[in-house]
Amino acid sequence: MQKEGERLIPINIVDEMKSSYIDYSMSVIVSRALPDVRDGLKPVHRRVLYGMYGLGVFSNRKYLKSARIVGDVLGKYHPHGDSSVYDAMVRMAQDWSLRYPQVDGQGNFGSMDGDPPAAMRYTEARLKKISDEVLSDLDKETVDFQNNFDDSLTEPTVMPTKIPNLLVNGTSGIAVGMATNMAPHNLTEAVNAICAYIDNREITIDELMQHIIAPDFPTGGIIYGYDGVRDAFHTGRGRVVLRAKVSFEEIGNRNAIIVTEIPYQVNKAEMIARTAELVKDEKITGIYEIRDESDRKGLRVVYELKNDAIPNVVLNLLYKYTALQTSFSVNNIALVHGRPEQLNLKDIIHHFVEHRHEVIIRRTQFELKKAKERAHILEGFMKVIGTQDSLDRAIAIIRHSANPQGAKEGLIEAFELSDIQAQAILDLRLARLTGMELDKIRDEYDTIMKEIANLEDILANEPRRFEIIKEELIDIREKYGDERRTEIDYSGGEMSIEDIIPNESVVLTISHAGYIKRTLLSEYKIQSRGGVGNKAATTRDADFLEYIVSATNHQYMLFFTEKGRCYWLRVFEIPEGSKTAKGRAVQNLINIEPDDKIKAYIRTNNLKDSEYVNQMSVVMVTKNGTIKKTSLEAYSRPRVNGVNAIEIRDNDQLLGAYLTNGTSQIMIATKNGKCIRFPEEKVREVGRGSIGVRGISMEDNDEAIGMIVVNDIENETVLVVSEKGYGKRTAVEDYRITNRGGKGVITLNITEKTGNLIAIQNVTDEDGLMIINKSGVAIRMNMDEMRVMGRNTQGVKMINLKKNDEIAAIAKVEMDKDVEDDSEESEEGADTVTDNQENNTETTPQVENENPTEETENSDSEE
C-alpha cells in the first residue's frame, strides 16, 4: 500500500533486469574473479597482501595469528565472508597450489589429499620474502590508491610488483559469462623471456618460447605433447596434457609402478580411491595392491602389479582412466585497463613491462621530489651556517626574537629563506653547529645534487629506464630463480595405448542378452565341414550367442542398437575372455539404455582420417526391408552417450550395418529365401536422422534377415545358411541386377528340413567361416570345402545339430594357416553331441533339388 508522500515510478522490468545484471556481472568480472594483467592479483589476494603489509608481518618479523590478519583485511578492505579471505590466504601459502607461494604459513594449511586447513584461530602467517618484492616501493607513490568500501581508508588499485606474478603463479577464476585459467611458469624462464622482449620489442612468440619453454607446475609432472603449449602461447587458449612422473621397481617378486609426482590440481587421495574402484570393477586389470607411501620427504604412490601383468600396459590404462593423466585447459583472460581481454604470451609480457616502466617513472619522480626537498633544506643550512659570521647573525636573531614565529620571520628576511628552510634552521639541534657537522652538510648536499642529476637523467632517458627494469628482474632471478620442475615430453601427443597392445586377430562374441568378450582367434582350431564343433562359450540361462565378429585389436567397433542408436568402442577396450567365458555385459562398457539391445555392428579403421571417413559410407537395413545410406563421417566423432543412427518405426528393427565405398553392390535376403541385388548408387546418401528408403518388397509373412555388400563380383560368392544347418554358395552373377525395391529372386529353396533362412554372407575360397548355434557349440571351417552351386537349390548340411538345436549366427573369419586341426579338442565338446554323432568328423554333403523345377526357375521373374 502506498504511503503518504511516496510516489510510484513504473519501470520496464526487462530494462531493469538488464541494467542490474550488467552491473552485477561487471562487478564480478572487475572486482572479484579476474586478475589484473599488471600484478596478476585478484582483489582479495591484493587486499590480503596489503593488510599484512599494514600489520608489518614481513618475512623477517614474527608470525601473526591468521584470525588477526583476516579480521584486519575484513574490517578495512574486503567486506565479504571471513572464509573468502582465509581460503585465499591459505592457498597463497600452499606450495602445491602456487609455484611461488606468497604467504609463509605456520600450522596446518591443508594437504594434497584435500584435507582442510585448521581454523584460522589455530594457524599463524607472515609474508614470504618474495612478497616483499611484490610490495616493493608501495610507499613511493608508484601506484594509484582508491577509497575502501566505506571511504575511511585507501587501498592500492594494483601492486608495484617486481615479480611477473601473472606468469609465474597463474590464476583461475569463474566470472559471469567468462572464466580464466592461467598456468604457472618458471621464474627464471619468465625473467629471461621478459629481458629478451625488452631487448627486442619485435620479438616473435616462437622466439620468446626459446626462453619460456612451457608452463612449470608446482607439483612437477610431465607435459605430454607440445601442441597445446604452443596454442596457449600463441592464442591464449590451449589444452596442456599433464602426466604423473613414474618409474618401475621390483618389490619382492612383483613389478610395481612408483608415482613420485602427480599432475597439477589432482587430489591424491581421491585419485587413489578412484583407481581402487576401477580395479574392483575390472576396468583396470593387473593391479594387485595400491599403497600411499608419501611422507614429509615427498610423494610416493605404489601400484603393485600381479605376476602376469605387463607394467607398460597397466600404466597406459592408469593414464587413460585415472588422474595420472589430466589436462590443463589454458584460458588467458585478465583485466587490461579494467576490461577483460584474452592474452597471448607476448601480450602478458608487454603489459607487465609497461607496468614496470610506469612504476619506475613514478618511483623516480617521487625520489626526485624528495631529493629536491632535501636539497632545498640543505641550501638553507649552507646560507645560514655556511660561515661563522652568518651563523652568529642567525643566533643573534633567534636570541632576540620574542617567539618562534618572530625568529622564523627574522631569518627569512635576513637570509632570503623560504618558510620551509627557516623552520628547518629553527629545528636544527645545536650539535649540528659544530665544524664537523657543517662539513657533513656540505657533503650531503653534493651527494644529493648528483642524485638529482641522476634521477633527472633517468626520467629523460627511456632506454635507461628499461635497463633498470632488466637489472631489477635479473636481481629477482638471482634471488628466487630455481630449476624447472615440470618435464616436457615433446614426442608425446594424444595417448596411444595401441602402441603397447599388439594388433592381433581376435574373435568378438556377443550373446543375445548382451554379453561380450574378446578371444584370440588362435584359440579356435580348424575343423572339417560337418564336424561336431567345440564348446565355444558358456551362456546364462535362456541366453545364446547371437553374433560372432572377427576383428583386430586396433580397429574401431561401431555398435548399432534396435532403437537406432550408435555407440563406439576400440576392440582392445572390450574385455578379453577365454573361449568358454561368459563375457561382460555391454551395459558395463557403453552407455546403452537398459531396454535397448545391440542389433548390428561394423568395424572401421581410423575415424580421425578425414579422407577415409569421407570416402566410406554406412549402409543399414531393417527387418521391414528399409535401407539407408549415410557418410561414415557422420559417425566419426565418438560420444559417450552415443548418437542417433537411424529412425526406427514401430514393429521394425535394425538388422545390419556395413561399410561401402560408393561402387559396391547390395544384396538383401529374406527368411522365405528371396534375395535382391542392386547397385549402391540406387541408394542416395541421407543424414543420420533419416528413415531411409525401401530396399526390398516382401509379402506379409516375410521379413529381411540380412544384407551383404559385394565389391569383387568375380571372386566373391554368396553364402546363405538356414536355421536347420543347411547352407549354399552361389555366384553373385546368378542374381541379376534389378532396381531397388523389387521382390527379388529365390536364393535358397526353403523346406521344412532346411528351416527358414537366417544368414547371408559374401565369401571367397580363402575365407574361413565360424558357425555357432544357440546351445553354444561352434565350428570353424574353410570355405574352399564348399563348392559353388545353383541359386535356388536346398544346399548342403554344414553342421550337425543336436535335437532341436538351431544355428544362431555365422561370421566370416581370416583363416590362420599355422593353426592345425586338433582332434583332442573335439572331445571337449563330446558331451554336446549324440552317440551316433560322436565319432563323426566329416559328413557327406546332402544335396537335394540340385536340378530345380521349372516352377522354381520361373520365380526369377518376380520383382
Side-chain angles (χ1 to χ4, degrees):
M1 182 177 177
Q2 187 175 351
K3 296 181 181 178
E4 189 176 348
E6 290 183 344
R7 67 191 180 94
L8 299 176
I9 302 173
I11 295 174
N12 186 310
I13 190 169
V14 174
D15 295 339
E16 180 64 20
M17 289 293 288
K18 190 184 297 182
S19 172
S20 299
Y21 192 74
I22 288 173
D23 291 344
Y24 163 72
S25 62
M26 287 308 298
S27 172
V28 173
I29 289 167
V30 176
S31 305
R32 192 182 307 173
L34 299 187
D36 192 295
V37 71
R38 297 169 291 177
D39 63 1
L41 297 170
K42 299 179 192 177
V44 66
H45 302 119
R46 194 177 297 120
R47 287 164 177 167
V48 167
L49 290 176
Y50 188 59
M52 296 177 78
Y53 171 85
L55 290 168
V57 282
F58 297 106
S59 57
N60 56 353
R61 309 281 176 85
K62 69 175 185 177
Y63 292 93
L64 197 62
K65 278 287 184 187
S66 298
R68 174 77 174 84
I69 297 167
V70 171
D72 211 61
V73 173
L74 279 181
K76 291 180 177 178
Y77 312 113
H78 198 70
H80 300 279
D82 57 4
S83 63
S84 66
V85 176
Y86 187 51
D87 289 350
M89 190 181 83
V90 163
R91 188 174 182 277
M92 293 166 77
Q94 293 174 339
D95 58 7
W96 62 90
S97 294
L98 261 65
R99 182 64 177 80
Y100 299 92
Q102 296 159 329
V103 171
D104 183 4
Q106 183 168 267
N108 175 12
F109 274 76
S111 74
M112 290 178 74
D113 289 334
D115 298 321
M120 68 180 88
R121 61 183 177 275
Y122 298 120
T123 60
E124 296 177 332
R126 66 183 178 188
L127 289 169
K128 280 272 193 184
K129 180 69 177 166
I130 198 169
S131 295
D132 297 346
E133 311 295 349
V134 177
L135 297 159
S136 175
D137 302 324
L138 190 58
D139 56 351
K140 293 184 178 180
E141 298 177 0
T142 49
V143 294
D144 293 331
F145 278 69
Q146 64 186 9
N147 288 336
N148 68 340
F149 60 90
D150 63 358
D151 294 345
S152 61
L153 297 164
T154 59
E155 59 177 322
T157 57
V158 68
M159 290 296 180
T161 176
K162 292 180 181 178
I163 307 287
N165 194 56
L166 192 63
L167 265 182
V168 300
N169 271 331
T171 189
S172 65
I174 300 172
V176 177
M178 65 184 68
T180 185
N181 201 35
M182 306 185 75
H185 297 82
N186 183 270
L187 179 60
T188 302
E189 293 180 2
V191 168
N192 292 340
I194 295 168
C195 291
Y197 170 80
I198 292 172
D199 291 338
N200 174 21
R201 306 297 168 76
E202 303 302 318
I203 192 170
T204 65
I205 293 175
D206 286 329
E207 289 170 333
L208 284 172
M209 287 166 62
Q210 295 174 12
H211 301 280
I212 186 164
I213 306 168
D216 188 25
F217 297 96
T219 54
I222 297 170
I223 291 173
Y224 189 67
Y226 202 66
D227 291 344
V229 174
R230 190 179 290 109
D231 292 342
F233 281 158
H234 278 270
T235 67
R237 290 179 72 94
R239 179 174 169 271
V240 179
V241 177
L242 288 172
R243 281 184 165 186
K245 188 176 288 185
V246 300
S247 59
F248 299 117
E249 287 183 14
E250 280 194 22
I251 299 177
N253 60 347
R254 296 182 186 277
N255 289 320
I257 298 170
I258 310 298
V259 177
T260 52
E261 295 176 6
I262 60 175
Y264 185 48
Q265 294 176 332
V266 167
N267 183 312
K268 174 163 62 72
E270 284 185 6
M271 178 190 78
I272 293 170
R274 173 64 180 149
T275 306
E277 286 179 16
L278 292 169
V279 172
K280 184 179 177 182
D281 294 341
E282 297 182 2
K283 191 85 172 179
I284 297 176
T285 56
I287 293 180
Y288 173 72
E289 187 181 12
I290 306 172
R291 294 191 303 276
D292 185 359
E293 298 180 355
S294 306
D295 55 22
R296 64 179 59 194
K297 295 178 183 176
L299 184 144
R300 179 180 165 92
V301 179
V302 179
Y303 297 88
E304 203 168 316
L305 306 183
K306 295 178 181 176
N307 290 329
D308 59 345
I310 303 171
N312 273 325
V313 173
V314 176
L315 179 59
N316 275 283
L317 289 171
L318 288 170
Y319 282 146
K320 182 175 179 64
Y321 293 113
T322 76
L324 282 192
Q325 175 172 307
T326 63
S327 62
F328 185 92
S329 296
V330 177
N331 188 19
N332 294 340
I333 293 181
L335 295 174
V336 180
H337 306 302
R339 291 173 170 268
E341 285 187 17
Q342 186 149 325
L343 307 163
N344 60 32
L345 175 62
K346 189 174 179 180
D347 294 334
I348 295 171
I349 291 174
H350 165 75
H351 289 299
F352 174 74
V353 170
E354 289 298 304
H355 176 54
R356 282 304 299 161
H357 186 236
E358 185 182 351
V359 168
I360 296 290
I361 293 172
R362 292 179 65 161
R363 183 182 70 189
T364 307
Q365 289 172 338
F366 175 83
E367 290 173 347
L368 179 61
K369 182 179 72 170
K370 292 295 182 184
K372 285 183 174 179
E373 288 174 357
R374 182 61 181 165
H376 182 61
I377 290 171
L378 292 174
E379 286 170 355
F381 286 169
M382 289 188 292
K383 279 183 182 179
V384 174
I385 59 176
T387 64
Q388 192 62 44
D389 290 343
S390 58
L391 178 57
D392 292 342
R393 283 175 60 202
I395 293 171
I397 291 170
I398 294 169
R399 284 183 62 191
H400 293 95
S401 298
N403 52 46
Q405 184 61 32
K408 184 193 288 187
E409 291 171 357
L411 288 172
I412 291 171
E413 187 177 343
F415 294 98
E416 298 181 352
L417 300 176
S418 68
D419 188 89
I420 294 170
Q421 288 173 325
Q423 185 62 47
I425 296 293
L426 291 174
D427 293 340
L428 203 63
R429 291 167 53 222
L430 290 174
R432 298 295 303 272
L433 302 180
T434 62
M436 187 178 293
E437 288 298 321
L438 290 174
D439 289 340
K440 284 185 180 178
I441 289 171
R442 291 190 186 97
D443 290 343
E444 184 185 354
Y445 180 74
D446 291 341
T447 302
I448 212 154
M449 291 310 291
K450 289 178 183 176
E451 178 65 16
I452 287 170
N454 179 51
L455 293 171
E456 287 177 337
D457 181 62
I458 290 172
L459 289 175
N461 190 342
E462 185 181 88
R464 201 174 158 205
R465 293 197 294 274
F466 282 105
E467 199 59 37
I468 291 170
I469 296 172
K470 273 183 65 177
E471 289 170 3
E472 291 182 349
L473 282 168
I474 291 169
D475 183 55
I476 292 292
R477 183 183 67 193
E478 298 305 315
K479 282 185 185 177
Y480 308 105
D482 58 3
E483 293 295 320
R484 157 177 283 280
R485 294 182 190 173
T486 303
E487 296 178 6
I488 305 164
D489 183 352
Y490 292 96
S491 63
E494 289 299 320
M495 189 189 62
S496 181
I497 192 171
E498 52 262 39
D499 292 339
I500 303 298
I501 295 179
N503 195 23
E504 295 176 313
S505 295
V506 294
V507 174
L508 305 181
T509 55
I510 307 168
S511 79
H512 185 74
Y515 288 85
I516 186 170
K517 74 173 186 293
R518 167 173 56 99
T519 308
L520 287 175
L521 179 61
S522 57
E523 281 204 32
Y524 291 88
K525 304 297 182 181
I526 297 177
Q527 290 185 356
S528 299
R529 174 178 57 78
V532 296
N534 311 142
K535 192 69 177 174
T538 310
T539 51
R540 295 170 184 253
D541 294 341
D543 192 12
F544 59 89
L545 292 179
E546 191 167 2
Y547 293 120
I548 302 176
V549 192
S550 65
T552 59
N553 274 331
H554 292 187
Q555 288 182 306
Y556 286 80
M557 287 296 298
L558 271 62
F559 295 92
F560 295 84
T561 71
E562 64 183 13
K563 287 189 174 183
R565 302 280 295 171
C566 175
Y567 299 86
W568 292 259
L569 270 185
R570 301 298 294 269
V571 170
F572 58 72
E573 292 175 323
I574 297 166
E576 189 170 359
S578 69
K579 199 168 53 170
T580 57
K582 292 185 176 74
R584 289 271 302 281
V586 172
Q587 281 83 351
N588 294 339
L589 303 177
I590 57 179
N591 292 342
I592 185 172
E593 295 180 14
D595 59 340
D596 207 354
K597 181 181 175 185
I598 291 178
K599 298 299 292 183
Y601 58 85
I602 59 173
R603 291 148 296 169
T604 74
N605 295 329
N606 190 357
L607 292 177
K608 294 176 183 174
D609 183 345
S610 59
E611 185 178 347
Y612 172 74
V613 296
N614 284 301
Q615 256 180 5
M616 307 301 286
S617 300
V618 177
V619 177
M620 287 166 276
V621 67
T622 73
K623 187 172 71 172
N624 289 348
T626 300
I627 188 169
K628 176 186 170 184
K629 178 179 170 185
T630 307
S631 170
L632 179 60
E633 195 275 334
Y635 303 96
S636 65
R637 291 170 290 279
R639 298 184 197 169
V640 175
N641 294 319
V643 296
N644 285 327
I646 184 172
E647 184 181 334
I648 300 294
R649 290 177 169 169
D650 293 341
N651 302 318
D652 199 3
Q653 67 181 35
L654 195 64
L655 288 181
Y658 297 86
L659 279 182
T660 62
N661 58 18
T663 60
S664 307
Q665 292 193 3
I666 291 169
M667 299 180 71
I668 303 172
T670 74
K671 75 175 183 180
N672 287 348
K674 293 291 186 67
C675 183
I676 190 171
R677 172 187 170 199
F678 54 86
E680 178 190 343
E681 291 85 356
K682 298 285 186 181
V683 186
R684 63 184 179 86
E685 209 167 78
V686 293
R688 266 199 299 110
S690 302
I691 299 171
V693 294
R694 174 150 301 283
I696 185 170
S697 297
M698 299 174 291
E699 297 173 358
D700 291 341
N701 65 341
D702 202 2
E703 61 185 42
I705 53 92
M707 175 181 79
I708 60 170
V709 174
V710 180
N711 293 307
D712 186 354
I713 297 174
E714 289 184 8
N715 294 316
E716 290 185 46
T717 57
V718 180
L719 170 71
V720 289
V721 179
S722 73
E723 60 190 355
K724 296 288 180 66
Y726 286 83
K728 183 192 62 171
R729 284 178 68 191
T730 310
V732 175
E733 287 152 337
D734 279 10
Y735 300 85
R736 62 189 181 83
I737 296 177
T738 65
N739 284 322
R740 173 185 57 78
K743 291 182 179 180
V745 297
I746 286 189
T747 183
L748 185 77
N749 196 22
I750 300 297
T751 66
E752 188 175 337
K753 183 185 287 187
T754 63
N756 289 328
L757 207 62
I758 60 120
I760 181 171
Q761 184 61 269
N762 49 326
V763 294
T764 66
D765 284 347
E766 285 74 35
D767 286 330
L769 189 73
M770 288 193 66
I771 306 172
I772 198 153
N773 58 35
K774 293 181 181 180
S775 61
V777 176
I779 187 170
R780 183 169 173 222
M781 59 182 289
N782 290 328
M783 275 292 93
D784 57 9
E785 294 182 24
M786 278 193 74
R787 63 185 182 83
V788 179
M789 58 186 68
R791 175 168 52 77
N792 61 348
T793 59
Q794 184 175 279
V796 296
K797 195 155 194 178
M798 300 182 69
I799 184 171
N800 286 325
L801 297 173
K802 179 183 108 176
K803 298 178 183 175
N804 296 322
D805 206 358
E806 293 181 345
I807 291 180
I810 68 167
K812 183 171 64 175
V813 296
E814 296 291 333
M815 297 307 291
D816 186 348
K817 303 301 181 187
D818 296 329
V819 178
E820 296 179 357
D821 191 8
D822 189 344
S823 60
E824 288 182 4
E825 195 168 21
S826 302
E827 294 175 10
E828 294 174 17
D831 61 331
T832 67
V833 297
T834 59
D835 290 339
N836 63 349
Q837 290 175 324
E838 191 165 15
N839 297 315
N840 186 13
T841 56
E842 183 173 355
T843 53
T844 306
Q846 299 179 22
V847 181
E848 294 189 17
N849 231 0
E850 190 73 278
N851 298 309
T853 62
E854 187 177 336
E855 180 183 345
T856 307
E857 286 289 359
N858 289 340
S859 63
D860 222 0
S861 61
E862 293 180 8
E863 290 194 13

